[in-house]
Amino acid sequence: MAKVISISNQKGGVGKTTTAVNLAASLAVLEKKVLLVDADPQANATSGLGFDVETLECSIYECMIDNLNPQEAILTPEGISGLHLIPSYIDLVGAELEMVNLPNREYYLKNVIGQVRDNYDFVLIDCSPSLGLITINALTAADSVIIPVQCEYYAMEGLGKLLNTIRLVQSELNVALGYEGFLFTMFDPRQRLSHQVVEEVTRQFQDMVFKTIIQRNVRLAEAPSFGKPVILHDAGSAGAINYLNLAKELIQKNENN
């Protein structure tokens, strides 16, 4: 049965989708069976794996709202065997409104993933930059959370609110939800600020911080415009190597637990 990991931070621009796409691809390259669930109405993970969101016939929206069998929504990106995607598109915005008055509205995504999780080693959920009902669904469905933290000003801004939300989900909806770890992103070794952010977050969260750090990298930044994870765009780039190391760290961590 798959380990289900939500990649969450309500702050935008911290590397959630970059992490979701490239960690998923790296895990698949390491011969793990991986399902990436795009739970963000912006659908950047979907387009980042080469799919045109305007031509999708079905998505996570239909799975959650219309009870579509998720097998019918799964797409297979080109170039990496073992990697599958349940796509998203803008209709997912409406799902939150449609679910507000429904019973057990926090468990819809968990029920969708439950139908297919036995087929995978890892299920990664790319969350939207909000703490709305879809993100609550993602946290309720997950075994653990990866929290990307950008190595820039205001890195700690909003972390307290996110951690409070996670605690609320743990107490009310998903008692088994744990922390997979805090992940430093957009690290620039030339900038003192980057090192300060790493020191501060590590001091606060200690063993909950991934050893792997994701550096700023041109190839990593441009890969989505080609509809590819960075490991297909430039396997020798720092970004590709960083995410491959993160995948190895994640696998080792879960094998040891």
Side-chain angles (χ1 to χ4, degrees), residues 2-233:
K3 177 78 174 280
V4 181
I5 302 173
S6 172
I7 301 172
S8 304
N9 191 328
Q10 84 276 15
K11 197 170 183 297
V14 300
K16 280 189 303 297
T17 299
T18 298
T19 295
V21 168
N22 290 293
L23 178 56
S26 296
L27 287 166
V29 165
L30 294 171
E31 300 185 340
K32 298 298 181 181
K33 294 179 181 177
V34 185
L35 175 65
L36 176 57
V37 179
D38 191 347
D40 184 351
Q42 297 177 83
N44 290 332
T46 300
S47 60
L49 284 174
F51 295 101
D52 182 355
V53 297
E54 300 297 329
T55 62
L56 293 175
E57 294 184 6
C58 50
S59 71
I60 190 64
Y61 172 86
E62 284 80 11
C63 297
M64 293 177 68
I65 301 301
D66 300 331
N67 294 317
L68 178 77
N69 187 321
Q71 291 282 9
E72 297 183 39
I74 288 174
L75 302 174
T76 304
E78 290 184 9
I80 300 179
S81 61
L83 175 60
H84 290 158
L85 169 74
I86 297 182
S88 176
Y89 57 63
I90 194 65
D91 282 13
L92 193 59
V93 169
E96 294 208 355
L97 295 174
E98 295 178 52
M99 293 164 61
V100 163
N101 295 316
L102 297 177
N104 300 313
R105 59 186 181 271
E106 299 90 357
Y107 294 94
Y108 278 54
L109 185 55
K110 182 175 184 176
N111 293 336
V112 171
I113 291 172
Q115 296 176 59
V116 293
R117 69 181 292 176
D118 286 349
N119 301 331
Y120 298 96
D121 298 307
F122 290 94
V123 176
L124 304 183
I125 308 172
D126 183 29
C127 295
S128 65
S130 75
L131 292 176
L133 188 52
I134 300 298
T135 298
I136 298 299
N137 263 260
L139 293 172
T140 302
D143 298 310
S144 62
V145 190
I146 290 176
I147 302 173
V149 179
Q150 86 280 27
C151 297
E152 297 179 350
Y153 285 112
Y154 310 121
M156 306 293 286
E157 185 181 74
L159 267 187
K161 189 173 182 182
L162 174 63
L163 297 178
N164 284 337
T165 299
I166 290 171
R167 281 191 286 269
L168 183 64
V169 170
Q170 288 170 325
S171 63
E172 301 290 336
L173 300 167
N174 183 4
V175 68
L177 180 63
Y179 290 95
E180 199 66 40
F182 291 81
L183 174 68
F184 296 116
T185 61
M186 305 177 193
F187 179 82
D188 187 339
R190 301 165 299 179
Q191 293 187 358
R192 184 182 175 192
L193 176 63
S194 285
H195 294 278
Q196 289 175 335
V197 171
V198 169
E199 289 171 10
E200 174 66 14
V201 175
T202 302
R203 183 182 63 79
Q204 285 201 39
F205 299 106
Q206 300 177 2
D207 293 343
M208 294 163 63
V209 174
F210 281 104
K211 293 181 176 65
T212 304
I213 294 176
I214 309 301
Q215 299 179 41
R216 277 198 176 280
N217 179 248
V218 172
R219 294 300 194 202
L220 182 61
E222 69 187 18
S225 66
F226 292 89
K228 296 178 180 180
V230 70
I231 203 163
L232 289 183
H233 180 55

